[in-house]
Amino acid sequence: MTHPTPLPFAPTGLDHVVFRSTDGARLAAFYCEVLGCTLERGLPGKGLAQLRAGRSLIDIVPSESCGDAGRVDHVCLGVHPFDEAALRKHLQQHRVAVIDAGPRYGAEGLGPSIYLHDPDGNAIELKGVAAPLC
């Protein structure tokens, strides 16, 4: 499918996927022991585990209820360049609302991000790489 107008960014790949689980330790063990991922970092107070899967991350967060378990919380696409004003204008032209924005940690470190929903209601994060410190 071609784009009728040029995009203000290009997708660079999947940055991370977030799964909800009622037993995060069990799920993390599966991804590490069975599928070869490694623990990159965890935030035990929040129940978050971030697992390295090549150049991407798999995040595991606590489910809000048993009905949420096994659900994908959101998918994150890396984008470059990340020009928040241009992204917001592009999304507005397509009648897509920005749900949240701000710095988030991802596969390439801390960087700017924007959250939105696709037409089916799936949460999508568009994430840029943080500017290098000088």
Side-chain angles (χ1 to χ4, degrees):
M1 180 178 288
T2 60
H3 300 283
T5 58
L7 298 175
F9 63 90
T12 60
L14 286 177
D15 184 272
H16 63 273
V17 175
V18 180
F19 291 114
R20 293 191 169 275
S21 177
T22 56
D23 189 345
R26 177 183 54 85
L27 194 58
F30 171 83
Y31 278 96
C32 291
E33 295 169 12
V34 178
L35 300 180
C37 297
T38 57
L39 179 65
E40 173 139 330
R41 72 182 201 146
L43 299 173
K46 294 187 178 196
L48 169 70
Q50 291 183 302
L51 310 177
R52 175 64 56 181
R55 63 178 290 267
S56 301
L57 290 178
I58 296 171
D59 294 354
I60 300 170
V61 299
S63 67
E64 299 296 320
S65 69
C66 290
D68 278 346
R71 186 172 74 80
V72 174
D73 182 80
H74 72 273
V75 173
C76 176
L77 292 175
V79 298
H80 182 78
F82 189 96
D83 177 336
E84 186 170 339
L87 282 166
R88 284 179 178 272
K89 181 179 177 183
H90 174 74
L91 293 170
Q92 185 178 27
Q93 289 171 341
H94 290 274
R95 296 182 179 90
V96 176
V98 172
I99 305 305
D100 193 14
R104 301 289 193 291
Y105 187 83
E108 296 185 17
L110 189 66
S113 76
I114 288 179
Y115 283 80
L116 56 116
H117 287 117
D118 72 12
D120 283 345
N122 297 302
I124 305 295
E125 178 183 3
L126 303 178
K127 186 170 177 321
V129 177
L133 298 175
C134 297

